[in-house]
Amino acid sequence: MTEHRNTEWSRKMAIVSQKVSDLSGKQGTDKQFAAVVVRQHPDIDQPKALDVLVTELGAFKDISEDLVIIEITTPDGKKRDAYVPLEEFNKAATDMPQILKDARGTRGRVPGTKVGNGNGS
């Protein structure tokens, strides 16, 4: 008789896993969560993944529309990326939008040059 009860009990048993927000500790379903990968932060040496409720994403103000990412190469050949607020970037020169428009591209020809061998053909 005991054997029968254990078998019946095991058929009713299920494993339930709950997802919990790394920010608030609140539980939710998979459809309520976003995956957030922290790629760079002063306190970490490798990317870290966080489970965050979609309703908590507002805590991360997105400044990407107002952010300029520049690559700086110093005379010794070292490269680094810098992230500058658009407003600050535009203060570097009087007419930064025009300067950018006139600047040479990183690939291809210098603006205003034409393809040809120089003899008018």
Side-chain angles (χ1 to χ4, degrees):
M1 191 80 163
T2 306
E3 220 173 287
H4 183 272
R5 286 185 197 160
N6 286 342
T7 306
E8 188 176 324
W9 179 77
S10 354
R11 277 188 260 149
K12 293 181 181 178
M13 188 172 93
I15 297 173
V16 178
S17 62
Q18 290 285 324
K19 202 166 211 176
V20 177
S21 169
D22 289 316
L23 301 183
S24 65
K26 293 179 182 176
Q27 296 180 353
T29 65
D30 282 343
K31 291 183 179 185
Q32 294 174 305
F33 278 86
V36 174
V37 176
V38 181
R39 299 211 179 274
Q40 185 174 339
H41 187 283
D43 295 336
I44 61 175
D45 59 359
Q46 64 181 341
K48 300 288 185 169
L50 300 174
D51 292 322
V52 178
L53 286 164
V54 171
T55 56
E56 297 171 332
L57 290 174
F60 305 117
K61 183 177 181 261
D62 184 4
I63 62 167
S64 62
E65 290 182 23
D66 299 325
L67 187 66
V68 178
I69 302 171
I70 59 176
E71 178 183 289
I72 300 168
T73 306
T74 56
D76 61 3
K78 292 183 181 175
K79 287 186 180 184
R80 69 179 177 92
D81 290 338
Y83 302 85
V84 183
L86 178 62
E87 186 178 329
E88 295 300 314
F89 181 81
N90 285 339
K91 289 178 183 178
T94 306
D95 192 3
M96 188 55 88
Q98 187 62 46
I99 290 171
L100 282 175
K101 184 179 175 190
D102 295 341
R104 72 182 190 285
T106 58
R107 295 182 283 173
R109 299 184 303 272
V110 175
T113 60
K114 296 183 180 178
V115 176
N117 61 8
N119 65 8
S121 50

